[in-house]
Amino acid sequence: DIQMTQSPSSLSASVGDRVTITCRASQSISSYLNWYQQKPGKAPKLLIYAASSLQSGVPSRFSGSGSGTDFTLTISSLQPEDFATYYCQQSYSTYSFGQGTKLEIK
Amino acid sequence: QVQLVESGGGVVQPGGSLRLSCAASGFTFSSYGMHWVRQAPGKGLEWVAFIWSDGTNKYYADSVKGRFTISRDNSKNTLYLQMNSLRPEDTAVYYCAKAEFSSGSYYFDYWGQGTLVTVSS
């Protein structure tokens, strides 16, 4: 099974900050990596697919990069609505998620 | 617009059974694979099962293999999850999600609102 590890597990930041979340796979997964945002009591929402493709309707301040085992999600300028938990997910071999990164207001 | 609405959750005793449903609308249901994903209270996301668009192939997480069965009725635009031999660790919100494939990656592009399953005596 492929293990996905996100860092950090939690992060405090301010509106306007640039934030980067990292996701590492236990083996190479090419670009089979997706990112989701989840707010409390809500379903996850797709942000990025195939490591760097922005889902329709998602603001351009969100971007993804990486391939192989190391990936990043970057939010260029945090907005109040971006405070949430973020998950990476691989689809190279069945499906597995990272443990999540909780982004909180500083 | 795409809508996925889960139902069937509730409280069940350990060893019991429950069937979840997911009613789909706003897209051609019979053309897409579908997933179940769960989230235990205060925990992360766990993929549970996947079914092809025509229902011919099914895949399961090791944690539910042999106890859960995913199925679909394309005439009713509905996805199901039959859960047997339930355990306390199956307690979670269960989401159905639509499968998509693009740019060489598979992903979940639409999710339902979830239904809570509680396994407790």
Side-chain angles (χ1 to χ4, degrees), chain A residues 32 34 36 38 43 46 87 91, chain B residues 39 95 104-108 112:
Chain A
Y32 286 70
N34 312 305
Y36 301 85
Q38 187 179 33
L46 176 68
Y87 293 93
S91 57
Chain B
Q39 186 170 37
Y95 297 100
S105 185
Y106 295 90
Y107 50 93
F108 315 127

Side-chain angles (χ1 to χ4, degrees), chain B residues 40-62:
Chain B
K43 302 297 184 182
L45 300 166
E46 180 188 16
W47 171 76
V48 172
F50 171 68
I51 185 169
W52 279 21
S53 59
D54 61 2
T56 54
N57 284 284
K58 307 171 185 182
Y59 304 87
Y60 299 93
D62 288 343

